[in-house]
């Protein structure tokens, strides 16, 4: 990658600092003033805002860099990792969005509780909190690595910057502010991807030379990834979309049930072009720099930009870090307040609002404890999706198969899914069966047996 001079580096750093200051000012300007605004934006968010927010889950730093890296190694088929979300969102909109909105709930655990009861609610909440903490740990580690490279600072300083800025965003702003500020983050990130694609295709002189030189599998539907992995992409993303707390929370913030459904269609439409762009960036990097480390398949193109475009793309990477950390941390805070603090302490709305902010500060800094001691936990990324998939299965059974709506069956099914999926993952996915499939099968099997 290009080694910028002192002036160029100063320009990039100044641009990033200015971006953080502007978005921080907007956070203060749009901050939540009530508990309702903090949790669901007082149910006033337009469908387009929520649609962009939903899509943001799939264009974070790990997704963009990871898809480009996989495309470099395995071909355009890597785009299915994000493209499958374009299928998951409409399914969620058709089967669950309106039911969720009309339930009046803004947590997946609260919705499950309406069908299965309190014990299942607590199990769902604990599994989701654990899964999201692991997701944010991954966001901190990958984000710190990116920020350290861009700003030429050490990993520790980068991680603290992420913790401080992101916690400020969601602890002060709450959902109302995060939703609108994240629109800016997402827009910058989205445009940044297409700036990189434009540079890549300019250097390759189009797609035809790339297709002519690379092995044929680089442009087949399954590449060297294979059908099993692609199916796992679909299962994992459908499970994540149907159960991830922040997605549930975002949909619940819309003005009405129709807007809730429409937001999922907007998210799907936005996911399609960016997934194809990331695949093309990866294969273009393979064509131009076949012997480089695949990890740099996306950022390698910064070396071919002038300092101003490089600054913009660097900002887009920083934006993806902040939007990922903020939305996940806000979701964790909402689960803790909704499922544990409020039922036991029965606070007034003002007390709940203050408690939400205090808890948010702790949640924002907790990952720092593990970033430096357990970076290997990043490997749990797909495992956390499997855990969320098991929650989705139980929720769908409760909604569409009420005959099986047993509190005991759902609780035992979730606990069994967590245990068997964990064991299967730790055993290295025996027999070549991904732990995602274990999470898919275990809950309905246990619920069916319990019913009999």
């Amino acid at each position: 990658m290009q080694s910028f001079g002192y002036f160029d580096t100063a320009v990039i750093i100044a641009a990033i600092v200015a971006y953080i200051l502007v978005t921080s000012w907007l956070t203060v300007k749009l901050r939540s003033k009530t508990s309702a605004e903090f949790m669901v934006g007082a149910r006033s968010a337009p469908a387009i805002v929520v649609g962009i927010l939903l899509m943001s889950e799939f264009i974070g730093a790990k997704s963009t860099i990871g898809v480009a890296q996989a495309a470099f190694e395995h071909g355009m088929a890597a785009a299915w990792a994000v493209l499958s979300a374009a299928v998951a969102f409409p399914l969620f909109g058709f089967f669950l969005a309106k039911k969720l909105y009309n339930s009046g709930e803004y947590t997946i655990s609260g919705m499950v509780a309406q069908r299965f009861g309190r014990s299942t609610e607590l199990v769902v909440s604990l599994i989701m909190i654990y899964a999201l903490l692991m997701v944010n740990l991954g966001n901190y580690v990958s984000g710190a690595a990116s920020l350290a490279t861009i700003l030429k600072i050490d990993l520790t300083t980068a991680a603290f910057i992420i913790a401080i800025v992101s916690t400020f965003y969601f602890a002060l702003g709450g959902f109302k502010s995060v939703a609108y500020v994240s629109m800016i983050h997402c827009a910058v990130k989205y445009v940044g991807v297409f700036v990189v694609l434009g540079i890549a295709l300019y250097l390759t002189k189009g797609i035809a030379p790339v297709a002519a030189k690379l092995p044929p599998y680089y442009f087949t539907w399954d590449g060297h990834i294979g059908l099993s992995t692609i199916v796992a992409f679909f299962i994992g993303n459908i499970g994540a979309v149907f159960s991830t707390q922040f997605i549930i929370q975002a949909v619940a913030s819309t003005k009405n049930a129709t807007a809730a459904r429409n937001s999922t269609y907007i998210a799907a439409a936005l996911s399609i072009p960016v997934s194809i762009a990331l695949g093309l960036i990866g294969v273009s990097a393979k064509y131009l720099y076949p012997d480089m480390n695949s990890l740099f398949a996306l950022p390698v193109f910064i070396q071919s930009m002038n300092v101003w475009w490089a600054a913009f793309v660097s900002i887009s990477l920083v934006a993806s870090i902040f939007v990922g950390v903020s939305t996940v941390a806000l979701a964790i805070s909402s689960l803790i307040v909704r499922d544990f603090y409020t039922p036991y302490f029965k606070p007034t709305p003002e007390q709940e609002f203050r408690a939400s902010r205090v808890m948010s500060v702790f949640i924002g800094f907790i990952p720092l404890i593990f970033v430096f001691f357990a970076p290997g936990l990043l490997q749990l990324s797909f495992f956390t999706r499997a855990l969320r998939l098991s929650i989705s299965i139980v929720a769908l059974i409760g909604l569409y198969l009420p005959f099986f709506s047993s509190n005991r069956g759902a609780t035992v099914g979730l606990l069994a899914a967590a245990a068997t999926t964990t064991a299967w993952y730790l055993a290295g996915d025996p027999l070549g069966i991904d732990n995602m499939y274990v999470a898919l099968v275990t809950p309905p099997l246990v619920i069916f047996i319990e019913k009999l």
Side-chain angles (χ1 to χ4, degrees):
M1 296 181 64
Q2 175 172 323
S3 179
F4 289 107
Y6 289 115
F7 173 77
D8 294 338
T9 301
V11 168
I12 293 173
I13 293 175
I16 291 173
V17 171
Y19 178 81
I20 292 174
L21 290 175
V22 169
T23 51
S24 296
W25 174 79
L26 283 173
T27 297
V28 174
K29 189 80 173 174
L30 299 171
R31 69 187 182 277
S32 300
K33 297 180 176 64
T34 66
S35 181
E37 289 184 342
F38 192 92
M39 293 301 181
V40 288
R43 295 187 183 272
S44 61
I48 182 65
V49 173
V50 174
I52 293 173
L53 210 53
L54 296 178
M55 184 268 301
S56 71
E57 288 281 304
F58 294 89
I59 61 165
K62 287 192 300 177
S63 297
T64 50
I65 293 174
V67 171
Q69 179 183 18
F72 182 100
E73 297 172 348
H74 305 294
M76 281 292 297
W80 287 114
V82 175
L83 191 58
S84 53
V87 176
F89 281 123
L91 288 175
F92 176 78
F94 184 80
F95 287 105
L96 203 60
K98 283 192 172 183
K99 288 181 178 292
L100 167 68
Y101 190 90
N102 291 330
S103 74
E105 295 290 346
Y106 62 87
T107 65
I108 185 64
S109 53
M111 190 175 180
V112 167
Q114 291 185 355
R115 298 288 178 173
F116 294 108
R118 178 63 174 165
S119 64
T120 304
E121 176 185 29
L122 293 177
V123 171
V124 167
S125 189
L126 289 171
I127 291 174
M128 184 60 70
I129 289 169
Y130 166 69
L132 292 179
L133 281 171
M134 295 299 101
V135 170
N136 241 4
L137 176 59
N139 286 334
Y140 270 67
V141 174
S142 60
S146 298
L147 202 62
T149 302
I150 294 169
L151 298 182
K152 300 185 185 303
I153 56 179
D154 61 82
L155 203 64
T156 302
T157 304
F160 270 97
I161 290 174
I162 292 171
I164 292 169
V165 176
S166 298
T167 302
F168 174 82
Y169 282 150
F170 70 85
L172 176 66
F175 186 90
K176 177 186 173 184
S177 175
V178 166
Y180 286 96
V181 173
S182 290
M183 278 194 69
I184 298 174
H185 289 325
C186 292
V188 171
K189 178 62 183 177
Y190 206 85
V191 174
V193 169
F194 286 95
V195 168
V196 174
L197 176 61
I199 296 295
L201 294 181
Y202 172 78
L203 294 173
T204 62
K205 296 180 171 55
I207 299 173
V210 181
K213 181 179 178 180
L214 294 180
Y217 73 81
Y218 266 78
F219 287 89
T220 61
W221 69 271
D222 60 344
H224 264 192
I225 290 179
L227 176 61
S228 177
T229 300
I230 293 173
V231 171
F233 284 157
F234 275 90
I235 294 174
N237 277 340
I238 290 171
V241 167
F242 270 63
S243 66
T244 297
Q245 168 56 28
F246 185 72
I247 290 177
I248 302 293
Q249 197 167 348
V251 168
S253 72
T254 52
K255 295 179 179 180
N256 51 58
T258 300
R261 176 173 285 181
N262 290 341
S263 69
T264 65
Y265 301 151
I266 293 170
L270 290 171
S271 299
I272 295 172
V274 77
S275 62
I276 297 171
L278 291 169
L280 288 172
I281 289 169
V283 298
S284 297
K286 181 67 175 180
Y287 169 78
L288 293 168
Y289 316 104
D291 299 321
M292 77 168 188
N293 184 337
S294 62
L295 181 63
F296 299 104
L298 189 149
V300 70
F301 291 104
I302 294 177
Q303 72 180 1
S304 302
M305 301 176 186
N306 63 40
V307 66
W308 304 107
W309 280 119
F312 183 85
V313 173
S314 297
I315 288 173
S316 75
L317 291 174
V318 170
S320 69
I321 296 167
F322 291 144
V323 71
V325 172
S326 297
T327 54
V328 172
L330 181 61
I332 296 171
S333 175
S334 300
L335 283 168
I336 293 174
V337 171
R338 162 64 177 75
D339 296 336
F340 298 96
Y341 175 75
T342 300
Y344 289 110
F345 292 96
K346 296 178 173 51
T348 64
E350 292 75 19
Q351 290 172 328
E352 181 180 280
F353 184 39
R354 287 195 297 270
S356 298
R357 282 185 165 170
V358 172
M359 290 179 193
S360 294
V361 173
F362 286 103
I363 292 165
F365 283 88
I366 283 174
L368 288 177
I369 300 171
F370 303 99
V371 163
F372 310 107
F373 299 104
L377 286 177
L378 268 176
Q379 299 169 3
L380 291 175
S381 178
F382 275 95
F383 168 61
T384 64
R385 289 194 179 190
L387 289 175
R388 286 178 279 170
L389 172 64
S390 66
I391 294 172
S392 299
I393 298 299
V394 170
L396 288 172
I397 289 173
L399 287 172
Y400 291 98
L401 297 172
F403 175 74
F404 292 94
S405 298
S406 160
N407 184 16
R408 183 176 64 179
T411 301
V412 174
L414 283 167
L415 292 172
T420 56
T421 305
T422 301
W424 204 263
Y425 171 79
L426 293 175
D429 292 341
L431 307 176
I433 300 174
D434 195 281
N435 60 81
M436 196 76 69
Y437 297 103
V438 177
L440 176 68
V441 171
T442 303
L445 183 63
V446 171
I447 290 173
F448 179 73
I449 292 173
E450 189 274 340
K451 189 65 178 179
L452 292 178

